[in-house]
Amino acid sequence: MSRLYLARDPRVAARSLGGEMMIMSGRDSTLFILNQTATILWQAADGATPLDEIVDSRICAEFEVDRCESLQDAESLARELASHEILQISEEPIQPRSATVAESRAESRVGEAQ
Amino acid sequence: MSSLMLEMSAKALKLNIPLSVHLDLTYRCNERCVHCYLDHDDHGEMTTSEIKHLLDEMAEAGVFILTLSGGEIFLRKDFFELLEHARRLMFCVKLKTNAVMIREKEAQRLKDLDVESIQISIYSHRPEVHDAITLVSGSLKRSITAIRFLKSQGLKVIIANVLMTQNMQDYPGVRALAGELGVECTLDPTVTPMMDGNRSTVALTVDHETLQQVFRDPVLVGDVDEFCAIAPKAGEDDLNSAPCSAGHNACYVSPYGDVFPCVAFPLPTGNVRRQRFVDIWRHSDQMNEVRSIRVKDLTTCSSCSHVGTCTRCPGLAFLEGNMRGPSTQDCEKSFARTGVPSANMLNKKRNAAKLVQIRALPALAGASA
């Protein structure tokens, strides 16, 4: 099974507000509020760490969840975020287009689109 | 504003976070618009490193929407360096410009840096009217050329049309121009006093009849009956609400580092050259005073029939002498919209009647001499 790499799409605008991550799409200015899992993926999306390692270190290590199921859910979520051009996904490590600032740790709720 | 953005604005208000900041990079300008409220001399603008440091502080404070304006932003030689820094910090960046310095290369860079929108001032579709307001020959042509470059990059452009005596018949033409260019268009009938309190520019405000015409144009306001309806009696929630976002989840920073509640509210609250941005935001006495005001605290306005729907600007009220008082320009708008005079207008009428009686006194004095 090939590995999936995630990187934050540099075209978005983003800020953590009281533990919730606000993301504005660079494509059409749609605003998203990321849920808890999406926020974890966003924060860990450095282009170099594969998704399975993110799931192991940031999801399975912190929550009592089935690894296989979590990985499937995370991949599905990553693809959804990529469809909104919030994340970039690739089967190869992704070189950052430009540096991004580290966002503060966020806790969130179910993802919503405008 | 989207429901999610409204929700985030309410959350920022609750958490005392400045969600939105308007930063003027310079007051220098290559146009000399007759209604402009700024002094265009450079009295010591912040340097590149000072502005970058401020942007770092603003990101840390939670600012999400950053409006870069002026003066003319492209007169700063470091403009793109500052914009790059702002985007690296992941601000949602909106620009306000006259666009006359934007050509294909600049439009391409703005696209590469993913600015959210570019607002461009257009006063008329007729060069003789627009250029007579900017006092720069050929300015309309250059701004329109720039809009075409920006559109060709797929950028979001908004034409901002300020309505005043010189161009009051031209707003349909500007809207048609916006349609032809494929961009949005806003219309604002408010001409603000200068930041130093000089009110000469206010004389350019359109008359009552023109305001009525604008407020009854369904193309501009949608459902005219709904737009022009008299507000229902204000409830407790209305009276306990904040009058405006200025100082609550938004503020303004001048090119000299002065922080104000809003660009239209020149109450000094601190300076980022001497204090941290977040300290001014959280601890300035002036900012906290503005923040403490609720609609029920407004003298005159709290008992006005328009209180629920009035566009009252606390900055304009401040420039009239009382941040808790009415803004006469907004009273006139409410009157033009509904046909019902505001409490402030009725008070002025009563006071004027008293003055007429006083005026009779010199005649009596002359008769007795």
Side-chain angles (χ1 to χ4, degrees):
Chain A
M1 182 180 166
S2 58
R3 302 182 99 180
L4 201 61
Y5 294 83
L6 320 178
R8 299 170 191 172
D9 193 311
R11 293 171 300 171
V12 304
R15 193 69 73 227
S16 173
L17 176 64
E20 288 186 310
M21 186 62 72
M22 283 185 294
I23 309 273
M24 186 175 281
S25 157
R27 179 176 59 188
D28 57 8
S29 299
T30 303
L31 185 68
F32 298 87
I33 310 294
L34 301 192
N35 67 13
Q36 190 175 27
T37 312
T39 298
I40 289 170
L41 295 186
W42 165 262
Q43 289 176 331
D46 59 7
T49 311
L51 181 62
D52 57 306
E53 284 186 25
I54 295 172
V55 170
D56 286 342
S57 63
R58 301 289 306 275
I59 297 177
C60 294
E62 294 188 28
F63 307 96
E64 287 185 14
V65 289
D66 175 74
R67 183 184 185 274
C68 185
E69 198 176 321
S70 294
L71 188 56
Q72 280 180 351
D73 290 348
E75 182 170 334
S76 171
L77 181 55
R79 291 192 187 282
E80 188 190 342
L81 293 174
S83 74
H84 293 301
E85 300 182 14
I86 290 173
L87 283 182
Q88 298 171 328
I89 56 174
S90 170
E91 292 181 1
E92 301 291 333
I94 302 165
Q95 296 300 319
R97 190 185 78 167
S98 63
T100 57
V101 286
E103 291 290 335
S104 61
R105 180 182 169 81
E107 294 175 3
S108 193
R109 56 177 186 184
V110 176
E112 287 181 65
Q114 185 178 26
Chain B
M1 193 184 284
S2 72
S3 59
L4 265 189
M5 188 52 91
L6 282 172
E7 192 183 323
M8 289 298 105
S9 295
K11 186 170 182 183
L13 191 67
K14 192 175 169 189
L15 297 171
N16 195 20
I17 288 173
L19 193 64
S20 175
V21 170
H22 176 144
L23 169 61
D24 276 350
L25 297 175
T26 180
Y27 284 162
R28 289 175 288 129
C29 195
N30 47 8
E31 292 184 341
R32 284 292 178 273
C33 299
V34 295
H35 63 293
C36 186
Y37 53 87
L38 294 173
D39 161 12
H40 295 303
D41 293 333
D42 179 359
H43 298 286
E45 291 170 6
M46 286 188 282
T47 63
T48 308
S49 61
E50 282 177 316
I51 294 179
K52 284 183 174 179
H53 179 68
L54 171 62
L55 294 174
D56 293 342
E57 287 192 342
M58 292 198 305
E60 197 178 334
V63 176
F64 180 51
I65 297 168
L66 174 68
T67 300
L68 298 178
S69 182
E72 175 45 48
I73 49 179
F74 285 90
L75 284 177
R76 279 206 61 131
K77 290 187 168 55
D78 57 1
F79 171 71
F80 278 110
E81 185 180 348
L82 296 172
L83 179 59
E84 274 181 28
H85 191 76
R87 284 295 298 130
R88 201 173 296 125
L89 292 166
M90 307 201 94
F91 287 106
C92 167
V93 178
K94 300 169 185 256
L95 304 180
K96 292 187 177 187
T97 172
N98 59 38
V100 300
M101 293 171 75
I102 296 176
R103 291 290 178 268
E104 198 165 10
K105 184 178 142 200
E106 288 78 19
Q108 174 69 57
R109 286 200 74 185
L110 293 176
K111 176 63 179 174
D112 289 345
L113 288 165
D114 302 294
V115 297
E116 195 274 336
S117 60
I118 302 119
Q119 181 180 301
I120 297 169
S121 304
I122 299 289
Y123 304 107
S124 171
H125 57 298
R126 296 183 292 160
E128 63 272 25
V129 176
H130 178 92
D131 294 358
I133 289 171
T134 63
L135 302 182
V136 175
S137 176
S139 56
L140 177 65
K141 187 178 176 189
R142 292 180 68 177
S143 293
I144 290 175
T145 302
I147 291 172
R148 294 191 199 281
F149 282 133
L150 294 165
K151 280 300 292 178
S152 72
Q153 293 293 334
L155 285 157
K156 180 180 171 186
V157 177
I158 303 161
I159 284 180
N161 181 15
V162 178
L163 194 67
M164 49 193 146
T165 50
Q166 287 94 324
N167 64 346
M168 61 187 186
Q169 300 306 326
D170 286 4
Y171 71 86
V174 174
R175 292 190 72 80
L177 174 64
E180 178 199 320
L181 293 166
V183 304
E184 292 178 34
C185 184
T186 64
L187 181 67
D188 186 354
T190 308
V191 180
T192 57
M194 296 186 75
M195 289 190 88
D196 63 5
N198 181 330
R199 299 187 67 81
S200 58
T201 50
V202 179
L204 300 171
T205 304
V206 295
D207 58 20
H208 179 75
E209 287 69 31
T210 305
L211 273 180
Q212 281 186 315
Q213 177 191 327
V214 167
F215 291 153
R216 281 160 185 73
D217 185 339
V219 175
L220 297 173
V221 304
D223 185 332
V224 174
D225 290 338
E226 188 182 339
F227 184 79
C228 294
I230 298 165
K233 188 173 165 51
E236 279 298 304
D237 286 351
D238 295 318
L239 294 171
N240 285 316
S241 65
C244 163
S245 65
H248 291 268
N249 58 18
C251 70
Y252 165 73
V253 185
S254 83
Y256 313 125
D258 296 310
V259 181
F260 302 101
C262 169
V263 65
F265 195 162
L267 170 70
T269 66
N271 188 291
V272 294
R273 282 172 154 158
R274 296 186 292 275
Q275 300 152 276
R276 289 199 313 156
F277 171 78
V278 75
D279 288 337
I280 298 169
W281 174 260
R282 286 182 187 157
H283 306 305
S284 152
D285 290 342
Q286 296 84 359
M287 203 66 92
N288 281 320
E289 184 186 0
V290 170
R291 218 168 267 153
S292 72
I293 300 172
R294 293 292 174 271
V295 170
K296 66 184 176 188
D297 303 320
L298 302 177
T299 54
T300 313
C301 298
S302 58
S303 59
C304 179
S305 59
H306 294 301
V307 68
T309 54
C310 183
T311 55
R312 175 189 174 275
C313 169
L316 290 175
F318 173 75
L319 286 166
E320 281 189 43
N322 180 5
M323 69 169 93
R324 291 175 177 78
S327 147
T328 301
Q329 285 168 278
D330 290 300
C331 292
E332 285 162 2
K333 281 192 270 183
S334 289
F335 179 43
R337 188 169 52 81
T338 63
V340 177
S342 70
N344 176 41
M345 295 168 86
L346 293 172
N347 283 351
K348 282 185 176 172
K349 198 173 175 184
R350 275 193 288 273
N351 291 338
K354 287 175 192 165
L355 286 173
V356 169
Q357 291 172 350
I358 292 166
R359 205 182 295 155
L361 288 174
L364 290 173
S368 64

